[in-house]
Structure formats: C-alpha cells, structure tokens
Amino acid sequence: MREPDGGAAYAPPDSALFKTALDAIGEAVLVTTPDLDAPGPVILYANPAFSRMTGYTREEVIGRSPRLLQGPETDRTVLDLVRETLLQGAAVQGETVNYRKDGSTYRVEWLITPMRDGSGDLTHWIAVQRDITGLRQIEAALRVSEERFRQFSEASSDLVWMRNAETLQLEYVSPAFERIYKSNREFALADTDINTWLSFVHPEDRDHVMAGVQRARTGVSVTYQFRTADTSDGGSRWIESTAFPLPDAEGRVRRIGGIAKDISEQKANAARLEVMVAELQHRTRNLLAVVRSIAMETMTRTGPTEAFTRQFSDRLSALSRVQGLLSRSEQTPITIRTLIQTELDALGADAVRDRVVLEGPSVRLRKAAVQTLALALHELATNARKYGALSSEAGRLSVSWQTHKTEAGQRRLVLDWVEEGIKGPSTEIGAVVQRGYGRELIEQALPYALRALTSYELGETDLRCRIDLPLS
C-alpha cells in the first residue's frame, strides 16, 4: 500500500520472487551469460517449462550452452542473424528447428533480450521460447487445403465465389466468372460491395437474387435461379446459384460462399421437351379419336350391341380427357379434385350439382398414376350416373379425400367415394356393378399398377369405395 505522504510502502522484489515467477509461467525461459563465443553463452537458469519442452532436466543443462539443442536441420542462416544482432546488444526474435533430448525435432520460436545492470552494462541474456510445431503444422495443412481448393475452383467449369457476410464484398471468384458474365473477374473483385456484381444480373431478377443472398447471411443454404443482364453477344443467360453460410468456430457466419452454373442449355432443352410432350399428347389424343372412330365403324359392320359401342366409346373418351390434362400438366398440375370434376362434368353431372359434394385439400397427383386412376373414377362416375346415386333425385354423392403419412414416412392419398339413396343390389345396379369392369379396375388394376389399397362395398341403399394410394 502507498503511504499517505506518497512514499513507497513496498520494497523492490528480490531474486527469489523473480525465480518463483519464472518457474510458474508456461513459456520456456533460459538465462545465460552474456559471452557469445564458445563455450558461451552458458545456461545459468532454466525453468520447468523448458524441461517439459526439451526433455532435459534443469541439472542437465545448467553450465552448458544452448547449442546442445541444435542439429542438422537447425537453420544456420537464422543463427548467424541472431548472433549478429546480439553482438550489437539488441533484442532478437526468430524461429528454427531444435532437437529434444530424445533426438526428436520441434519448431521453436524465441525472443532473446539483453539484461543490463544499473550502469547499462550487459550482464545476461534472457530467452523466452515457445514450441510452435503444432501451429506450423496447422498452417502448412491450411496452405495445402487452400491450394487444393484453388486448384479445384480454378479448374471447375462452375463458378465458385466467396463474400464477406457483413459487407458482402467479394473476396474470391473463380475464372468461370469471365465465361458466364463475359467480364474480367478483377473488375468484380475490386468493388467494395455487391452492386458491381448485381449489374451483371437481369434487373427483373435482382430482388430475387438479393433475397437468396440475405438468407445465406442468416445461416440458411439456398438455391435460386436468375438471368444475366443482356450482353452484346446474344442476350441473357440462365444461372443457377447455391449460396451457403461459412460459420467460424463459434458458429457466427463470417462469410458466405456459393457455386453457380450456367443452365441456359438445360432451360432450352426443358422448353424443347415441353413442346415435344405437348405434341405427343396432342397426337395421342388424335390417335385415340381415330381408334374410337375405327372401333365404331367396325362395330357397325360386324353388328355389336349398342351397349358395347357406347361403353367402348366412353372409355376412350375418358383416356382422351386424361391426355388433355397431361398435356397441360407442366403449366397446370393435375390435382385429385381436377380429375374427379373432369369425369363428372363429362357425364353431365352439372345438372345434379346440388346432390354432389367434393371435399378435400389440394393434392397434386403424380403423372404415372393419373391415367389408371382416371379410368377407375370414370367407371365410378358412369355407374353413379346410370344406376347409382345420380340416377334418381333421392341419391347423393360424396367424394372426400385426405393425405396421411405411414410409419415409414411415405405420403399417401385416401379417397372415399360414397353414394347414398341408390337402388339396392337386387336391381340393375347389382347386376352391372357386382363384378363389372369398374370393380375389377378398383380391386385388381389399382393395387397392381399403383400399389393401392382398395375396398368396395355395395349395400342395399349405399355404395362405399375407398382408394388408398401412394403419392410418391
């Protein structure tokens, strides 16, 4: 404590206290004599940390020169520079390879400082040393990793980029930038924010692109597509970019990275394929019309029953309607409600709309399931209109559906077709429906083709059909 008159209350610490402090610190410490010529300098003091680093006990090094730590891999150029600096009485910092007692090497970093007496004369050298072997190994591994990353990104046809998450300044961009954006990448790297790069993006897509970058800044990986701005050599191109966060050890997003690729050719191929599919669907519908015409002509000449002709024509019409839906499926996805409503409308069910209830969420169907399911719904709707709930004013039709997931995580659709107020199975409906084509479709074709689970129950005054099929 300090005296009230300002005088010092503490005496200067003695050498024993200094020795205790040096023994306690974690860095290796040597104190040597000042002479630099052999056999000096001579070690006068070594702390426990020095023994842990080198394997030598204090007793083994006292009175010896620090040169006992040197060996074939010790850099003589560094040692000569150290000697030259110390001869001038100045402090020196450096690093080289040293040898432990067991002969193993380690990388050491040191700071050697002169100790002087009250007259300013050099009395000792004190060297603080640190084993930096692990640090240098990590740095070397990082250099190798960075070089591999650079080799990969420089050779990749995809564009690799990295930005500062806070400022959005571009820190790295691979050579593919020049091919995709038709501009020198150094121009983009020289900009301090994202505005220069945004000038390469089509004006209508810039907000969309920035929204994706902002999501990556919050720690979310996101993929987005956009067009480049028009160029002098042929307009814009389509780019798909994936942006992802690059957090530090504490989990904070310090940088965001990304991989972008030119998908213009894929977009063009998809457009061409869409046209081809539409044309194929159109031709298929025409072909079905031809088949129906041929069938009707043949039936006229061979004298089939009128019922056969009508049913055959109706079923081909159902297939034709499905092809129409499929031809527009890229623009308008096919939902279960659309499929049911299309079949009911084709049978003139609009006139009995007050007795028909359709209820369920919007569920998109996979294309592979549409055709078979449509035929089954066509048979159900046809029977309902001719013999079932829609054939008399007393009947009502309710079609409801919902989705669920199995224990295995598979998403499925469950559809319930319920007719009430129908004529009993002893009448015409019983004869037609009991083992008809529609029932075979439901109980045999759907399980086989779509792996569906089905049930079909015809009662005295109602009909209940359930179809449970996978959506993926």
Side-chain angles (χ1 to χ4, degrees):
M1 102 184 196
R2 186 170 294 280
E3 296 284 349
D5 62 1
Y10 293 118
D14 57 19
S15 59
L17 181 58
F18 276 119
K19 179 178 180 301
T20 301
L22 292 176
D23 283 352
I25 65 175
E27 305 287 0
V29 178
L30 288 180
V31 177
T32 70
T33 58
D35 47 310
L36 299 176
D37 296 327
V42 174
I43 298 173
L44 301 177
Y45 166 81
N47 71 345
F50 175 84
S51 297
R52 291 193 297 271
M53 183 174 70
T54 65
Y56 288 101
T57 65
R58 185 180 306 188
E59 291 73 23
E60 289 175 316
V61 298
I62 297 297
R64 302 180 67 180
S65 169
R67 296 186 182 92
L68 85 160
L69 303 173
Q70 299 169 11
E73 295 184 34
T74 304
D75 192 334
R76 296 304 312 175
T77 302
V78 172
L79 295 180
D80 291 342
L81 178 61
V82 169
R83 177 180 174 82
E84 181 180 343
T85 305
L86 293 181
L87 284 173
Q88 298 173 11
V92 62
Q93 186 172 2
E95 67 176 79
T96 189
V97 173
N98 270 355
Y99 288 76
R100 299 184 182 88
K101 181 179 179 180
D102 62 7
S104 61
T105 61
Y106 64 99
R107 192 89 185 169
V108 64
E109 179 183 57
W110 69 80
L111 172 63
I112 304 175
T113 305
M115 298 176 65
R116 301 181 185 277
D117 59 18
S119 302
D121 295 328
L122 179 66
T123 60
H124 301 86
W125 298 110
I126 180 169
V128 179
Q129 303 180 358
R130 177 186 301 170
D131 185 346
I132 59 171
T133 307
L135 176 62
R136 293 295 180 257
Q137 288 174 342
I138 292 173
E139 291 175 348
L142 284 174
R143 285 193 296 271
V144 171
S145 178
E146 290 175 358
E147 180 59 26
R148 288 175 178 171
F149 164 77
R150 188 171 297 276
Q151 288 177 351
F152 165 79
S153 60
E154 299 283 311
S156 174
S157 60
D158 292 340
L159 168 62
V160 181
W161 56 268
M162 188 182 303
R163 292 185 182 278
N164 182 293
E166 181 177 354
T167 66
L168 293 183
Q169 181 174 0
L170 198 60
E171 296 183 348
Y172 173 79
V173 63
S174 66
F177 178 91
E178 299 182 357
R179 177 179 56 80
I180 291 178
Y181 293 108
K182 312 301 180 185
S183 177
N184 192 301
R185 61 172 171 164
E186 300 303 326
F187 174 68
L189 285 168
D191 195 42
T192 57
D193 57 28
I194 201 170
N195 289 328
T196 295
W197 176 74
L198 277 178
S199 68
F200 296 110
V201 178
H202 195 285
E204 295 178 3
D205 294 341
R206 288 172 188 171
D207 290 344
H208 168 63
V209 167
M210 279 304 301
V213 173
Q214 295 294 356
R215 288 193 66 194
R217 295 174 82 183
T218 64
V220 178
S221 294
V222 59
T223 299
Y224 48 89
Q225 296 181 358
F226 59 92
R227 295 161 294 172
T228 62
D230 292 341
T231 59
S232 58
D233 64 347
S236 64
R237 303 186 67 79
W238 275 99
I239 308 299
E240 181 178 83
S241 183
T242 298
F244 43 83
L246 297 172
D248 60 16
E250 286 75 34
R252 293 171 294 187
V253 179
R254 297 293 190 183
R255 291 178 174 82
I256 57 174
I259 300 176
K261 59 183 177 180
D262 188 334
I263 59 169
S264 302
E265 190 63 30
Q266 294 171 247
K267 283 281 188 179
N269 288 339
R272 287 193 292 268
L273 182 60
E274 185 176 327
V275 172
M276 291 174 62
V277 169
E279 179 64 20
L280 176 60
Q281 298 290 355
H282 176 70
R283 293 186 180 185
T284 302
R285 294 179 69 189
N286 290 343
L287 179 60
L288 288 171
V290 171
V291 171
R292 181 172 61 180
S293 177
I294 292 173
M296 293 181 68
E297 178 67 20
T298 303
M299 298 303 112
T300 299
R301 294 179 179 275
T302 58
T305 64
E306 181 182 348
F308 179 84
T309 304
R310 185 174 61 254
Q311 291 181 19
F312 186 71
S313 177
D314 287 346
R315 286 161 184 163
L316 284 179
S317 294
L319 286 176
S320 181
R321 288 192 294 274
V322 171
Q323 295 303 315
L325 292 175
L326 288 171
S327 68
R328 301 187 300 273
S329 61
E330 292 300 326
Q331 294 78 28
T332 308
I334 303 173
T335 66
I336 184 62
R337 179 183 290 272
T338 300
L339 202 60
I340 297 169
Q341 193 68 63
T342 298
E343 290 304 318
L344 292 175
D345 290 346
L347 295 173
D350 186 61
V352 292
R353 187 177 298 276
D354 59 326
R355 293 190 282 116
V356 177
V357 177
L358 304 183
E359 186 176 12
S362 178
V363 180
R364 183 174 179 173
L365 299 174
R366 55 193 176 102
K367 295 178 183 178
V370 168
Q371 189 159 280
T372 306
L373 183 57
L375 286 175
L377 292 172
H378 169 74
E379 295 299 322
L380 285 169
T382 299
N383 286 336
R385 191 72 177 94
K386 292 181 178 180
Y387 317 111
L390 303 183
S391 65
S392 68
E393 294 184 359
R396 293 183 62 84
L397 170 63
S398 172
V399 186
S400 61
W401 59 91
Q402 59 183 348
T403 62
H404 71 101
K405 276 190 177 181
T406 65
E407 292 183 357
Q410 183 186 49
R411 188 165 174 257
R412 298 180 69 91
L413 169 70
V414 177
L415 180 144
D416 287 302
W417 181 288
V418 179
E419 298 180 38
E420 296 177 311
I422 66 174
K423 300 173 184 179
S426 59
T427 61
E428 187 179 5
I429 187 174
V432 173
V433 174
Q434 202 61 256
R435 298 309 305 172
Y437 173 69
R439 187 160 186 175
E440 289 182 3
L441 263 176
I442 293 167
E443 295 185 331
Q444 298 180 32
L446 290 183
Y448 176 78
L450 305 181
R451 298 183 180 179
L453 304 173
T454 64
S455 64
Y456 194 102
E457 300 176 2
L458 177 61
E460 289 291 334
T461 59
D462 64 350
L463 183 149
R464 298 178 182 274
C465 176
R466 168 167 283 195
I467 300 173
D468 182 339
L469 75 161
L471 287 172
S472 60

